[in-house]
Amino acid sequence: NAGVTQTPKFRVLKTGQSMTLLCAQDMNHEYMYWYRQDPGMGLRLIHYSVGEGTTAKGEVPDGYNVSRLKKQNFLLGLESAAPSQTSVYFCASSYIPGLSYEQYFGPGTRLTVT
Amino acid sequence: DAKTTQPPSMDCAEGRAANLPCNHSTISGNEYVYWYRQIHSQGPQYIIHGLKNNETNEMASLIITEDRKSSTLILPHATLRDTAVYYCIVRVDTGTASKLTFGTGTRLQVTL
């Protein structure tokens, strides 16, 4: 199993450009999450999904959109990138809570917006 | 979810036990204590979790006080590869998705 993978690993954008970050998991997990991590801070939840075709807002959703068209994939979109979105983005997935709430994290995407 | 307090940093000699404390004095009866760690530039990694009883797995032990207001993560024989930021998180397992609130954690430095 590859676990949770993220594409790309690094990206530099100019202000106003758009991009999509891809997260894929091969563990048949129902739940998937997008977090961002800024220097000196813990992770903050952007959006999450409780199953295929469903998404919900997390703690810091503004400026981001997500889609979960397939169970194994969770996409994070930035429609018009801003310097404040410079961060490291982590995707995670988990089994249905109640059975186990261990979240499995991907390696991260380092995004710089200039 | 209840708030947690951890020391910002700790040092530990390789081969010795690392004891990482966490205070969660406002914890509710149905809230679990979770521990994750983040090795530099990698995604967080689940370590262990518990509700009331002490727990042990292949990575670590979790000791929860009887009043549940604090806990200690124990790495019995720390190695250089255990150098990481350790996060203590308190949350409710409600059967619905909810976020893990990562604070700033404890930066553990394991030295020779």
Side-chain angles (χ1 to χ4, degrees):
Chain A
N1 286 353
V4 179
T5 57
Q6 293 183 231
T7 308
K9 290 185 169 54
F10 302 94
R11 185 71 186 268
V12 178
L13 286 180
K14 294 186 177 178
T15 298
Q17 287 185 319
S18 64
M19 78 162 295
T20 300
L21 282 66
L22 170 64
C23 176
Q25 54 94 5
D26 60 2
M27 297 172 283
N28 202 35
H29 286 172
E30 289 293 333
Y31 287 69
M32 297 187 74
Y33 314 81
W34 275 108
Y35 293 88
R36 62 177 287 174
Q37 185 173 36
D38 300 302
M41 299 180 68
L43 281 74
R44 293 182 292 169
L45 183 67
I46 305 171
H47 287 278
Y48 65 95
S49 168
V50 303
E52 181 178 321
T54 71
T55 64
K57 293 180 180 180
E59 192 180 351
V60 288
D62 293 342
Y64 305 95
N65 57 76
V66 287
S67 64
R68 183 98 180 269
L69 298 179
K70 294 183 179 181
K71 186 177 182 179
Q72 64 268 34
N73 296 335
F74 195 28
L75 279 63
L76 178 71
L78 285 75
E79 291 184 345
S80 179
S84 61
Q85 294 177 304
T86 293
S87 188
V88 180
Y89 292 84
F90 289 101
C91 176
S93 68
S94 70
Y95 294 109
I96 298 173
L99 297 178
S100 168
Y101 205 72
E102 177 180 348
Q103 288 192 10
Y104 294 79
F105 284 80
T109 294
R110 189 173 297 274
L111 175 66
T112 301
V113 183
T114 60
Chain B
D1 295 340
K3 178 179 169 60
T4 62
T5 303
Q6 299 177 253
S9 64
M10 293 182 64
D11 292 330
C12 179
E14 189 176 34
R16 305 298 292 267
N19 297 287
L20 290 87
C22 179
N23 286 324
H24 31 79
S25 58
T26 60
I27 192 170
S28 300
N30 59 348
E31 288 186 305
Y32 287 73
V33 179
Y34 283 78
W35 283 84
Y36 281 73
R37 74 180 182 183
Q38 187 173 23
I39 296 171
H40 181 62
S41 299
Q42 297 182 20
Q45 177 190 23
Y46 166 84
I47 301 173
I48 199 167
H49 77 282
L51 181 63
K52 295 181 182 178
N53 300 321
N54 298 337
E55 302 287 344
T56 296
N57 62 21
E58 65 278 4
M59 288 183 68
S61 295
L62 174 60
I63 308 298
I64 303 174
T65 58
E66 192 169 344
D67 63 7
R68 302 201 335 115
K69 292 182 185 291
S70 66
S71 61
T72 300
L73 178 75
I74 301 173
L75 307 178
H77 304 287
T79 70
L80 296 177
R81 286 177 291 184
D82 292 321
T83 293
V85 178
Y86 287 78
Y87 298 98
C88 169
I89 300 162
V90 173
R91 66 167 302 280
V92 178
D93 273 337
T94 63
T96 60
S98 62
K99 62 187 176 71
L100 291 176
T101 302
F102 287 80
T104 53
T106 295
R107 183 172 298 278
L108 176 68
Q109 180 70 51
V110 181
T111 57
L112 291 171

